[in-house]
Amino acid sequence: MEVHPAALLLLLSCFTIASYAHNVHLSTLNQSLIVTASATPGQVSKAGTDTITITWAYNPNLTVSDANYTTIEAKLCYAPVSQTGRDDRKTDDNLDLDKTCPFDITDGPYKRSNNTFIWTIPRDTPSATYFVRVYVINAKNHEIAYGQNTDASKATNLIQIDGVVSEQKDSAAWPVIGNSFGYRYAWLLMLILIL
């Protein structure tokens, strides 16, 4: 079997792109934002109809500078109670591998204070218990700080959403090497080359 040099180069470039991750760990980020969400304890929000009001601001009691804060990304994240036994929701300190916060709420330019966003819960949101995390992004598009509406153990101020019943994703078709776009396409190209 002969392998075409261009196909081999393409395959190697996919692995190179996949291995060039920005390798940011949540534990190394400053928790410099104060984040709140409007859901009250015991309230069950309905996907497709209910809204959550999210606010965030820089914590003025910190001595960390926010000079290199450029944008924010607000995300809906699974609480530990909704992650048990679910690899598709698994928490990892490396943000490239973390599956805690798969739902985008909003993004935009960073402002130090007076940030409010009213978010209508999408109809396809799975039934689960959640919290909100807001990441701060720098000019290199890397997370450099964050805040969340819950405590460090993710046990307070949680949001209960009654949505679609979620089945665990069947990822058996893809080898468990990585979670990135490049790895999946590298495997696909390798299968094509073998055939």
Side-chain angles (χ1 to χ4, degrees):
M1 176 177 83
E2 186 176 323
V3 178
H4 194 277
L8 185 60
L9 182 61
L10 182 61
L11 177 65
L12 290 174
S13 69
C14 287
F15 278 112
T16 303
I17 290 168
S19 64
Y20 178 73
H22 64 285
N23 201 25
V24 174
H25 294 260
L26 184 66
S27 61
T28 65
L29 302 181
N30 292 317
Q31 191 168 353
S32 60
L33 296 182
I34 298 169
V35 178
T36 64
S38 64
T40 56
Q43 173 187 355
V44 178
S45 299
K46 299 280 185 198
T49 56
D50 289 341
T51 61
I52 299 172
T53 301
I54 300 141
T55 64
W56 63 93
Y58 179 76
N59 185 346
N61 299 324
L62 296 179
T63 58
V64 178
S65 170
D66 64 345
N68 60 345
Y69 292 8
T70 19
T71 58
I72 63 91
E73 290 180 359
K75 297 196 170 266
L76 186 68
C77 309
Y78 290 111
V81 68
S82 292
Q83 293 176 300
T84 305
R86 299 290 303 259
D87 287 342
D88 61 324
R89 299 177 180 181
K90 187 177 177 184
T91 296
D92 194 300
D93 190 45
N94 182 336
L95 295 181
D96 290 326
L97 304 175
D98 185 49
K99 298 176 186 174
T100 305
C101 303
F103 304 103
D104 295 330
I105 295 174
T106 189
D107 59 19
Y110 170 77
K111 289 190 321 182
R112 189 173 251 256
S113 60
N114 299 324
N115 299 287
T116 301
F117 186 77
I118 299 172
W119 183 61
T120 301
I121 303 165
R123 188 177 315 280
D124 62 347
T125 304
S127 291
T129 303
Y130 298 93
F131 64 95
V132 174
R133 182 178 288 158
V134 179
Y135 290 105
V136 177
I137 314 297
N138 65 10
K140 294 180 180 177
N141 204 29
H142 293 153
E143 297 88 349
I144 55 173
Y146 76 103
Q148 56 193 31
N149 75 309
T150 187
D151 59 354
S153 62
K154 302 174 208 146
T156 61
N157 301 321
L158 299 177
I159 303 162
Q160 183 69 40
I161 295 178
D162 181 21
V164 297
V165 177
S166 174
E167 296 295 325
Q168 186 167 356
K169 294 176 185 173
D170 182 17
S171 60
W174 296 106
V176 182
I177 287 182
N179 188 27
S180 70
F181 179 80
Y183 278 124
R184 290 196 176 186
Y185 278 94
W187 279 103
L188 180 62
L189 287 172
M190 197 164 17
L191 286 172
I192 291 170
L193 290 174
I194 291 171
L195 300 176

